[in-house]
Amino acid sequence: MSARTVKGQSADQLCDALAAFSRQMYERGWMPGTSGNISARLPGTDDRALITASGRDKGELTAQDMVVVHAATGEVVEPTTLRASAETSIHTALYRATDAQAVIHVHSPYATAVACRAGQANRPTLLRLERFELLKGLGLADPAGTEMPVFPNWAEVPRIAAHVADHYGQTSNAPPALLIADHGITAWGKDLAQARNRLECLESICQVLTINGVGIHTRDI
């Protein structure tokens, strides 16, 4: 089912918003080429979400480049010529395990650099973040510090998604963001604007970690 065939003005508006946010992320250098993906729960439905199509240039994305999927499973509601993002299963894992209403995955440079330093090839780790004023932007119960998970960049994306669902399903105080080793950062929120704001806070924190040469402190999950 094409996103434009979903009835209701709100669906059209969400398609436009997803395309606009994708172009913004591209212009900032956070979604170079066809990288990255964005999704949001579809208003007026219990179990559906819109996600950016696979293989599309994020700087030229339009409202027509969205795919309707089941929010719990990632299955395409009705096949079309578009393919849902290859990382759809990570988005749906977050929809199942958290209260996320919108999810944004980007390859912003500083967060990706930190993901390269903090990640392991064969096991998930936790990256300790503390004393940063911008942690207040994440809506944490205790903004003094948090541990952000860093998942291995396994070739099998559903394997990453399974670990994401397991961690966030069992960790009540986990931050609304994660890293994938050598790959990038994902953040989420009650809507696209909040997810973007959280990304901005974390990218700035990662910039300080990188520029100042601050030590990266991790532990195994």
Side-chain angles (χ1 to χ4, degrees):
M1 178 181 292
S2 167
R4 285 294 187 180
T5 67
V6 179
K7 294 181 180 180
Q9 185 179 13
S10 60
D12 285 351
Q13 293 172 335
L14 185 56
C15 287
D16 290 334
L18 286 166
F21 271 76
S22 294
R23 292 192 297 271
Q24 290 173 18
M25 297 295 102
Y26 172 84
E27 290 166 1
R28 298 181 74 162
W30 291 10
M31 280 185 166
T34 62
S35 67
N37 33 78
I38 304 180
S39 73
R41 284 186 178 273
L42 189 60
T45 68
D46 294 329
D47 66 340
R48 293 183 182 182
L50 292 174
I51 192 164
T52 49
S54 177
R56 299 300 175 101
D57 187 327
K58 298 307 188 296
E60 298 179 357
L61 214 63
T62 73
Q64 303 293 337
D65 297 316
M66 308 302 156
V67 182
V68 184
V69 298
H70 291 287
T73 65
E75 294 180 1
V76 176
V77 171
E78 184 176 312
T80 69
T81 57
L82 298 177
R83 291 182 295 114
S85 167
E87 295 170 342
T88 298
S89 60
I90 296 175
H91 290 244
T92 56
L94 291 168
Y95 288 133
R96 293 194 307 272
T98 75
D99 60 357
Q101 296 296 305
V103 179
I104 304 178
H105 166 63
V106 298
H107 294 212
S108 53
Y110 289 106
T112 303
V114 170
C116 291
R117 294 171 62 190
Q120 297 293 328
N122 59 358
R123 66 187 186 279
T125 57
L126 292 171
L127 169 65
R128 182 67 187 172
L129 300 174
E130 56 189 356
R131 299 176 57 192
F132 289 101
E133 182 72 15
L134 283 171
L135 288 173
K136 293 180 179 178
L138 302 184
L140 302 169
D142 180 7
T146 190
E147 291 184 313
M148 184 163 55
V150 187
F151 297 97
N153 190 20
W154 285 302
E156 305 84 4
V157 177
R159 185 180 180 187
I160 303 173
H163 281 268
V164 169
D166 182 63
H167 180 74
Y168 280 90
Q170 298 184 38
T171 311
S172 59
N173 61 343
L178 61 88
L179 296 172
I180 298 177
D182 308 323
H183 186 76
I185 185 169
T186 301
W188 52 94
K190 65 181 180 181
D191 53 30
L192 287 166
Q194 186 178 68
R196 180 196 58 203
N197 289 342
R198 289 171 171 176
L199 275 177
E200 290 174 345
C201 290
L202 286 162
E203 176 68 0
S204 182
I205 288 171
C206 290
Q207 182 177 13
V208 173
L209 287 173
T210 302
I211 292 176
N212 286 357
V214 178
I216 298 291
H217 301 288
T218 64
R219 66 181 180 88
D220 290 350
I221 293 180

